[in-house]
């Protein structure tokens, strides 16, 4: 059990959206069972130099629960508060606690990674950012990702000419996981086919449609764009996108596109001009050898020539201002609500050139000026936090702090058949719950809390194997239950609601089985829809803090805490007995029996005056609603 001091950067502990130069209260919460805490300090960096502010002990945390026995409203925690001056746009800080011990005093540290009885490096400090957050519609949202070729075909799709690069396939024809035809298998999905099924998307809890690229290209994935000036006619052209976005907006849904700032396709009009005229502006858009015979490309793939962001003309045409590619599609008549940037971590980086932050800032500046309420997400498949302080991208599409450790904890016998994020491993190595928490904590630590709540989190995407293939049979719902309960924007890849399978990203892009849905498909859909509804209804799942309670072997438990209510989450990958959580660990004094919000599998919860004890079979997951947290001195 984690009987430790806690702070996470959520609104229980620091104000949301602070202003540069202001002085803000910063709180830490300490369980009395932790020990005799004599003093607490906040160590912050001011212009990169350490500074200490001493905290004051607030009154004991009280939680008045209707119907509780007299005297049972003390939750067993103390709150300390210090004042923190925000000297820099991103303020790094951590806590130093003086704790009584047999030798007199010991000094303990709390940072965003966790609790330590030694000093810690600055890299894992908490971070408080003064940059404006992502729009609230995004932070409250659920993203539904669509690969346009595989989602739905309208009646008009059959009358369109098949591209010369395509290998036509029937809708129920298997997707090839690898092979020469894999990038060219063409199923003929289109944007009107998506518009026709918007009600289905909304019913899953999806509020934000994320479309993978819709520009003309010479592959089914379209990350090799041949132009950024139009929608691929095979998808229905510009008018189909206009119809889709208008219909989505009419239902209260948002739509974001997918844009690659690292490379174009080798059939792109810019690259064609660059190859034919070495003196053209476009020739400066790419990295050519001195004689022009060779060029840099994404991982050396010739069809994906890499953009050279030293070109001012490229910046003006692609990312700067309302008439740029970035700006144009956010405005009428298209009215996209934002962008997801492909391989953003590689953009502007080539050898000794690193213009990544400069390009990211230019994209954000254009989005701010053209559509301030737009969302800007960026893919970074590695340890992403260094590029995400809140001033450029709103959030990351990343796998290191959630998807990868989740796969490892829930890995099943078939996991050795899947691509584990490009590693040489035969699949995810299985880990205990303790390591899941360790990995999540260390990879999430360097993100400001605000950014963590704006990151995309997923059990899988169009670039990965499917969770249903990776995980223990029946445990995909465990993964989804955890997904919808964690900080960040839950992201569904179309087909997750039906439990579709796949051994790698290409194989996972299965056409939606609209005409062959089974009971298993619909049961999974019902569970996803219930989780999506909970995410919409319960503020703690969106804005609440995150505190780990228990992690051992097959079982983990955590709580999302908020002033309005809290949510306890218990998950198990196998059967277990007798996991006892004291009510004081939950931050509760006396309490009646909390309501079960949702569960999958077999879990039993026995509540008494002092604790709750869980037992059950696995895989299983459950969510329980608890009273909200009251901060001393707050109203």
């Amino acid at each position: 059990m984690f009987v430790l001091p806690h702070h996470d950067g959520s609104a229980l502990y620091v104000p949301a959206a602070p202003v540069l130069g202001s002085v803000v209260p910063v709180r830490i919460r300490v369980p009395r069972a932790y020990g005799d805490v004599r003093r607490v300090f906040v160590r912050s960096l001011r212009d990169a130099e350490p500074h200490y502010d001493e905290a004051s002990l607030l009154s004991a945390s009280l939680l008045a629960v209707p119907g509780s026995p007299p005297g049972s409203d003390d939750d067993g925690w103390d709150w300390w508060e210090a004042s923190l001056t925000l000297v820099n746009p991103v303020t790094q800080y951590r806590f130093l606690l003086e704790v009584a011990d047999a030798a007199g005093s010991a000094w303990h540290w709390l940072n965003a990674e966790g609790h330590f009885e030694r000093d810690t490096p600055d890299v894992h400090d908490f971070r408080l950012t003064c940059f404006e957050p992502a729009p609230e519609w995004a932070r409250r949202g659920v993203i539904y990702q669509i690969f346009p070729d595989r989602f739905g075909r309208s009646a008009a799709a059959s009358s369109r000419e098949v591209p010369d690069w395509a290998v036509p396939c029937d809708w129920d024809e298997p997707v090839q996981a690898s092979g020469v035809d894999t990038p060219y298998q063409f199923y003929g999905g289109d944007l009107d086919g998506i518009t026709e099924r918007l009600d289905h998307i909304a019913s899953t809890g999806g509020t934000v449609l994320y479309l993978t690229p819709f520009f003309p290209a010479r592959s089914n994935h379209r990350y090799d764009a041949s132009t950024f000036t139009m929608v691929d006619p095979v998808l229905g052209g510009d008018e189909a996108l206009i119809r889709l976005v208008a219909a989505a907006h009419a239902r209260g849904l948002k739509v974001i596109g997918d844009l690659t700032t690292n490379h174009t396709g080798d059939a792109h009009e810019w690259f064609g001009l660059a190859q034919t005229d070495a003196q053209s502006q476009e020739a400066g858009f790419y990295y050519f050898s001195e004689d022009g015979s060779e060029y840099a490309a994404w991982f050396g793939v010739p069809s994906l020539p890499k953009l050279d962001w030293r070109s001012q003309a490229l910046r003006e045409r692609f990312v700067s201002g309302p008439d740029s590619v970035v700006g144009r599609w956010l405005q009428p008549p298209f009215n996209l609500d934002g962008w997801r940037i492909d391989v953003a971590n590689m953009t502007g980086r080539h050898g000794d050139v690193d213009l990544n932050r400069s390009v990211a800032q230019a994209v954000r500046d254009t989005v701010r000026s053209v559509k301030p309420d737009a969302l800007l997400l960026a893919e970074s498949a590695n340890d992403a936090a260094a590029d995400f302080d809140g001033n450029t991208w709103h959030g990351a599409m990343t796998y290191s702090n959630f998807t990868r450790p989740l796969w490892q904890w829930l890995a099943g016998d078939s996991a050795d058949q899947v691509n584990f994020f490009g590693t040489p491993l035969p699949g995810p190595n299985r880990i205990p719950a303790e390591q899941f928490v360790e990995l999540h904590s260390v990879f999430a630590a360097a993100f400001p809390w605000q950014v963590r709540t704006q990151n995309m989190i997923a059990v899988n995407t169009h670039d990965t194997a499917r969770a249903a293939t990776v995980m223990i049979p029946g445990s995909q719902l465990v993964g989804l239950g955890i997904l919808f309960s964690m900080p960040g924007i839950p992201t569904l890849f179309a087909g997750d609601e039906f439990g579709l399978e796949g051994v790698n990203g290409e194989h996972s892009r299965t056409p939606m089985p609209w005409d062959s849905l089974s009971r298993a498909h619909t049961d999974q859909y019902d569970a996803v829809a219930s989780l999506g509804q909970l995410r919409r209804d319960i503020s703690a799942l969106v804005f609440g803090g995150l505190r780990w309670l228990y992690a051992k072997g097959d079982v983990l438990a955590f709580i999302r805490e908020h002033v309005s209510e809290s949510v306890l989450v218990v998950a198990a990958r196998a059967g277990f007995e007798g996991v006892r959580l004291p009510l004081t660990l939950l931050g509760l004094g006396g309490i009646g029996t909390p309501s079960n919000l949702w569960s999958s599998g077999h879990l039993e919860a026995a509540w008494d005056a002092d604790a709750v004890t869980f037992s059950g079979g696995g895989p299983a997951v459950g969510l329980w609603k608890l009273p909200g947290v009251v901060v001393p001195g707050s109203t």
Side-chain angles (χ1 to χ4, degrees):
M1 289 186 295
F2 297 87
V3 186
L4 297 169
H6 186 73
H7 174 97
D8 55 33
S10 68
L12 287 175
Y13 301 94
V14 294
V19 177
L20 180 63
S22 63
V23 178
V24 299
V26 179
R27 305 181 187 98
I28 183 175
R29 191 172 167 211
V30 183
R32 275 181 229 119
Y34 170 72
D36 180 12
V37 176
R38 293 175 173 172
R39 290 188 295 172
V40 175
F41 296 87
V42 175
R43 176 197 183 272
S44 62
L45 295 181
R46 296 184 175 185
D47 298 332
E49 184 68 17
H51 176 86
Y52 289 85
D53 290 290
E54 187 168 0
S56 300
L57 177 64
L58 301 178
S59 59
S61 174
L62 300 180
L63 183 61
V65 182
S68 298
S72 65
D73 57 351
D74 184 346
D75 68 5
W77 293 70
D78 290 323
W79 291 78
W80 297 72
E81 182 178 286
S83 295
L84 182 65
T85 302
L86 305 183
V87 173
N88 305 108
V90 179
T91 298
Q92 293 184 224
Y93 63 99
R94 61 183 182 262
F95 294 90
L96 175 62
L97 297 90
E98 182 185 8
V99 185
D101 69 2
S105 292
W107 294 93
H108 299 172
W109 292 89
L110 181 70
N111 66 8
E113 181 185 357
H115 175 269
F116 298 90
E117 295 183 7
R118 54 158 175 81
D119 202 353
T120 60
D122 296 344
V123 67
H124 287 155
D125 281 355
F126 296 106
R127 286 168 167 78
L128 188 56
T129 178
C130 295
F131 302 116
E132 75 273 15
E136 186 163 329
W137 62 258
R139 288 178 288 142
R140 286 187 175 275
V142 173
I143 292 174
Y144 189 95
Q145 182 191 12
I146 294 176
F147 193 80
D149 183 56
R150 312 287 164 83
F151 187 77
R153 292 185 58 162
S154 71
S158 59
S159 64
R160 298 189 186 112
E161 185 176 350
V162 175
D164 60 4
W165 53 262
V167 176
C169 297
D170 293 332
W171 197 254
D172 58 356
E173 191 170 330
V175 173
Q176 296 181 20
S178 61
V180 294
D181 289 344
T182 299
Y184 310 114
Q185 284 188 287
F186 177 77
Y187 290 83
D190 61 358
L191 298 185
D192 285 326
I194 299 170
T195 303
E196 291 168 358
R197 298 204 181 260
L198 287 175
D199 289 341
H200 168 82
I201 295 167
S203 73
T204 67
T207 61
V208 183
L209 277 69
Y210 154 35
L211 304 174
T212 61
F214 49 69
F215 300 113
R218 296 190 60 78
S219 70
N220 53 39
H221 56 72
R222 295 187 174 85
Y223 287 103
D224 56 333
S226 59
T227 183
F228 296 122
T229 62
M230 61 186 290
V231 174
D232 195 335
V234 173
L235 294 176
D238 290 0
E239 291 302 318
L241 179 64
I242 293 167
R243 287 193 294 271
L244 170 58
V245 175
H249 287 173
R251 290 168 171 80
L253 307 177
K254 302 289 186 178
V255 184
I256 65 173
D258 199 336
L259 190 61
T260 301
T261 53
N262 179 69
H263 54 264
T264 66
D266 61 348
H268 198 284
E269 56 199 5
W270 297 346
F271 191 67
L273 289 169
Q275 286 188 305
T276 57
D277 183 0
Q279 303 306 311
S280 66
Q281 270 192 343
E282 289 80 5
F285 291 7
Y286 301 90
Y287 290 94
F288 284 101
S289 60
E290 199 165 319
D291 65 0
S293 62
E294 298 179 351
Y295 55 89
W298 179 80
F299 278 114
V301 177
S303 62
L304 301 173
K306 186 174 177 69
L307 292 167
D308 182 352
W309 286 98
R310 293 175 296 183
S311 167
Q312 185 60 35
L314 173 62
R315 288 174 179 255
E316 291 171 0
R317 205 177 301 184
F318 200 164
V319 302
S320 297
D323 297 326
S324 66
V325 174
V326 167
R328 174 178 177 244
W329 294 90
L330 301 177
Q331 302 173 77
F334 305 106
N335 295 313
L336 287 180
D337 298 294
W339 291 108
R340 176 264 194 186
I341 304 298
D342 183 55
V343 288
N345 53 311
M346 299 182 75
T347 294
R349 288 174 170 146
H350 183 64
D352 62 352
V353 175
D354 189 347
L355 297 172
N356 182 268
R357 188 170 188 85
S358 173
V359 178
Q361 191 67 67
V363 175
R364 179 69 173 267
D365 288 346
T366 294
V367 170
R368 278 187 177 119
S369 63
V370 171
K371 196 167 192 174
D373 196 38
L375 176 64
L376 187 56
L377 300 170
E379 181 191 27
S380 183
N382 57 5
D383 183 4
D387 292 334
F388 292 83
D389 63 8
N391 191 32
T392 54
W393 321 117
H394 283 124
M397 182 184 188
T398 187
Y399 304 104
S400 57
N401 69 329
F402 182 74
T403 316
R404 288 200 325 231
L406 184 72
W407 280 21
Q408 290 175 284
W409 185 55
L410 293 176
D413 293 338
S414 299
D416 59 359
Q417 302 173 17
V418 306
N419 182 326
F420 187 47
F421 298 94
T423 67
L425 299 174
N429 54 308
R430 206 164 192 229
I431 61 172
E434 301 94 311
Q435 286 187 24
F436 171 85
V437 174
E438 289 173 7
L439 287 168
H440 172 77
S441 299
V442 72
F443 280 106
F447 288 105
W449 176 264
Q450 175 177 295
V451 176
R452 283 181 67 183
T453 66
Q454 299 166 181
N455 285 343
M456 299 170 70
I457 55 172
V459 296
N460 52 231
T461 71
H462 73 306
D463 280 333
T464 75
R466 289 275 192 177
T469 300
V470 174
M471 296 177 179
I472 301 163
S475 69
Q476 189 189 8
L477 284 179
V478 176
L480 288 166
I482 296 171
L483 169 75
F484 276 87
S485 303
M486 290 288 283
I489 308 174
T491 301
L492 297 169
F493 177 34
D496 286 349
E497 69 271 38
F498 297 140
L500 300 189
E501 299 189 7
V503 300
N504 60 19
E506 289 78 7
H507 195 225
S508 297
R509 300 167 188 174
T510 306
M512 293 288 277
W514 299 116
D515 296 329
S516 57
L517 294 176
S518 67
R519 176 63 183 271
H521 288 134
T522 56
D523 285 350
Q524 176 106 344
Y525 162 81
D526 289 343
V528 170
S530 296
L531 289 166
Q533 184 67 47
L534 286 177
R535 187 81 183 193
R536 286 195 299 271
D537 293 345
I538 298 181
S539 294
L541 294 178
V542 178
F543 300 114
L546 170 67
R547 186 162 58 87
W548 296 101
L549 303 174
Y550 181 92
K552 187 174 182 181
D554 296 328
V555 183
L556 63 82
F558 61 91
I559 189 169
R560 298 294 307 278
E561 295 177 304
H562 190 260
V563 293
S564 61
E565 74 275 297
S566 297
V567 177
L568 168 65
V569 182
V570 178
R573 66 184 181 187
F576 69 101
E577 292 185 6
V579 171
R580 184 177 186 273
L581 303 179
L583 296 189
T584 52
L585 179 66
L586 303 183
L588 302 173
I591 189 170
T593 302
S595 58
N596 178 244
L597 295 169
W598 179 84
S599 61
S600 173
H602 174 62
L603 278 179
E604 294 181 358
W607 299 84
D608 60 37
D610 301 313
V612 56
T613 302
F614 290 95
S615 300
V621 62
L623 284 66
W624 285 264
K625 185 176 180 179
L626 305 179
V629 175
V630 178
V631 180
S634 66
T635 58

